[in-house]
Amino acid sequence: MLNRSVAVIDVRSSDVTAVVAERGVNKTFVIKSKFSCPYDGYAEGQLLDASGFAGALRSVVKNTLSSCGDKVRALYIGVPGEFTRVAVTDNVISFPSMKKVGRSDVKSLENSSVPSTRGGYRHVRSGCLYYVLSDMRRVVDPVGMLTDSLRGRLCHYLCSEPFCECVENALQQFPQITKINFIPSVHAEAMYLLAPEKRDEYAVLLDFGYISSTYSVACGNGVVYSESFSLGTGHLALYLTETMDMPYDVAVAMLGKVNLNSKEGASSMLEHSYGGKLYRFTASEIKEKLREALDGICETIEECRRAFTEKNLDYKTLYITGESALAVRGAADHISGRLVQTVSVTAPQIPYYDKPQFSSLFSLLDTALTDKENSSFLRFFKL
């Protein structure tokens, strides 16, 4: 594999995307190859068609290997929120006397904190919410600081074993792939999209997907809470189909035509041709139905907000990303009004890719490249 590049697989609820990239200038990325393949997605913590997903995964990997001359040896696989559990631990280690904390001490604390009972889940990564020194200072990186004890509040990401096994089995036909690294998408997005100063005081992120969405609360360099639910723009279109007697493809098209903030007359119509037939509906009726469907999603978001009792999140900005964030114009404003909460759409700050549908992909790229850089650093400088 090219020395400075990584190969990342982004698994969304509508398609699978493989990208090979390296870092560019000014926090950009140099994309060397990119392939996508649609599939049926996932819901309620399960792949809707495991064989279809495996086929889509093999397709994008095959194309990637072909375009890169079979030089890819390692893959970084994004684990969707539907297949991720976050376990938070709070542990302390003590030292015989005051000492400077080393990386080995931090690693020892992390290893001793990993949950031993996982119930069908595999531990794939840990993150730091914060550390507390003996003088009660709260820090994100304690290395080099003097203390005689170290308390660590850590988060551990557990990935569904069936999902991991499905990925590994699908990739067995590629002997050149010798290493598979799983990255929790909730962690990658929180670290990449939310600035450290926002995470220090807790930050809330909603990855609004096609048929699955994830509500997460970030703190420090980790995620303290994450909950996924099987709702997205696919369900908005389905609601239009069921309540207005229109084909699903027409409903999807209507999502892109409507603007919930616009002021139309009572006779204003929205039209779409499909299957040789022209479908016409009043804009006001479509907007009314979409607001009803969004209200249902808002109720689920409110349930997630209430379930997190560690800190009052009512006044926190809700950052929204994902392919559904801008699928319906005015949806973010409606969600803001319904939740009585500031809502801000967030996306990668990258030319040509500065849209929320690319958030998970570039978040995974950033995390994978950081992992690769840290691994290279530690090989040369043993701390």
Side-chain angles (χ1 to χ4, degrees), residues 155-203:
C155 64
H156 307 280
Y157 301 99
L158 308 178
C159 173
S160 165
E161 193 68 51
F163 177 82
C164 291
E165 291 176 353
C166 183
V167 169
E168 291 165 343
N169 291 337
L171 297 177
Q172 282 183 352
Q173 74 174 56
F174 304 106
Q176 57 270 65
I177 304 296
T178 59
K179 189 172 183 180
I180 298 173
N181 307 281
F182 291 100
I183 300 177
S185 292
V186 292
H187 172 84
E189 289 185 337
M191 297 304 102
Y192 182 66
L193 297 172
L194 303 174
E197 56 271 20
K198 294 176 182 175
R199 301 195 306 266
D200 284 346
E201 292 300 324
Y202 296 85

Side-chain angles (χ1 to χ4, degrees), residues 87-93 106-118 123 126-127 131 150-156 158:
V88 176
T89 59
D90 197 333
N91 292 63
V92 180
I93 56 173
V106 174
K107 192 64 179 176
S108 176
L109 177 58
E110 178 185 310
N111 290 340
S112 65
S113 302
V114 175
S116 56
T117 303
R118 299 167 190 171
H123 175 250
S126 294
Y131 295 97
L150 182 64
R151 173 191 166 202
R153 190 142 190 267
L154 308 176
C155 64
H156 307 280
L158 308 178

Side-chain angles (χ1 to χ4, degrees), residues 233-243 248 251-252 255:
T233 47
H235 296 82
L236 298 182
L238 183 61
Y239 190 75
L240 291 182
T241 297
E242 293 174 343
T243 59
Y248 183 80
V252 171
L255 297 182

Side-chain angles (χ1 to χ4, degrees), residues 54-322:
L57 178 59
R58 284 192 290 264
S59 173
V60 296
V61 171
K62 181 180 179 180
N63 289 332
T64 297
L65 291 173
S66 177
S67 69
C68 295
D70 287 338
K71 294 180 181 180
V72 175
R73 297 291 177 266
L75 286 178
Y76 292 84
I77 311 291
V79 183
E82 285 273 3
F83 305 102
T84 305
R85 281 176 47 198
V86 177
V88 176
T89 59
D90 197 333
N91 292 63
V92 180
I93 56 173
S94 298
F95 310 119
S97 60
M98 296 289 286
K99 62 165 286 186
K100 282 188 176 181
V101 178
R103 293 203 180 277
S104 60
D105 299 314
V106 174
K107 192 64 179 176
S108 176
L109 177 58
E110 178 185 310
N111 290 340
S112 65
S113 302
V114 175
S116 56
T117 303
R118 299 167 190 171
Y121 282 76
R122 180 189 303 185
H123 175 250
V124 296
R125 195 183 192 93
S126 294
C128 151
L129 304 179
Y130 56 81
Y131 295 97
V132 180
L133 307 178
S134 55
D135 60 6
M136 301 310 294
R137 279 184 296 159
R138 196 175 102 168
V139 298
V140 173
D141 185 3
V143 175
M145 297 185 177
L146 284 171
T147 184
D148 60 11
S149 67
L150 182 64
R151 173 191 166 202
R153 190 142 190 267
L154 308 176
C155 64
H156 307 280
Y157 301 99
L158 308 178
C159 173
S160 165
E161 193 68 51
F163 177 82
C164 291
E165 291 176 353
C166 183
V167 169
E168 291 165 343
N169 291 337
L171 297 177
Q172 282 183 352
Q173 74 174 56
F174 304 106
Q176 57 270 65
I177 304 296
T178 59
K179 189 172 183 180
I180 298 173
N181 307 281
F182 291 100
I183 300 177
S185 292
V186 292
H187 172 84
E189 289 185 337
M191 297 304 102
Y192 182 66
L193 297 172
L194 303 174
E197 56 271 20
K198 294 176 182 175
R199 301 195 306 266
D200 284 346
E201 292 300 324
Y202 296 85
V204 186
L205 180 67
L206 174 67
D207 184 342
F208 196 9
Y210 186 66
I211 59 174
S212 176
S213 302
T214 300
Y215 178 98
S216 57
V217 181
C219 176
N221 285 335
V223 172
V224 67
Y225 174 84
S226 178
E227 184 67 35
S228 293
F229 48 91
S230 300
L231 292 170
T233 47
H235 296 82
L236 298 182
L238 183 61
Y239 190 75
L240 291 182
T241 297
E242 293 174 343
T243 59
M244 298 188 67
D245 190 27
M246 68 174 75
Y248 183 80
D249 288 344
V250 174
V252 171
M254 290 299 175
L255 297 182
K257 295 175 180 289
V258 72
N259 184 344
L260 298 182
N261 292 331
S262 64
K263 304 291 184 182
E264 294 104 352
S267 60
S268 179
M269 305 293 291
L270 295 176
E271 301 177 346
H272 183 72
S273 295
Y274 174 74
K277 180 180 178 181
L278 179 64
Y279 291 86
R280 303 179 76 246
F281 302 91
T282 61
S284 59
E285 187 178 7
I286 289 181
K287 286 160 66 172
E288 178 186 353
K289 295 302 180 183
L290 283 178
R291 290 190 181 106
E292 290 175 2
L294 284 170
D295 285 346
I297 294 175
C298 287
E299 289 176 5
T300 303
I301 296 173
E302 285 181 325
E303 290 174 6
C304 294
R305 186 169 62 181
R306 288 194 298 268
F308 182 72
T309 58
E310 185 173 313
K311 191 175 183 68
N312 181 6
L313 301 176
D314 292 349
Y315 66 95
K316 291 288 184 180
T317 297
L318 174 63
Y319 294 95
I320 297 185
T321 196

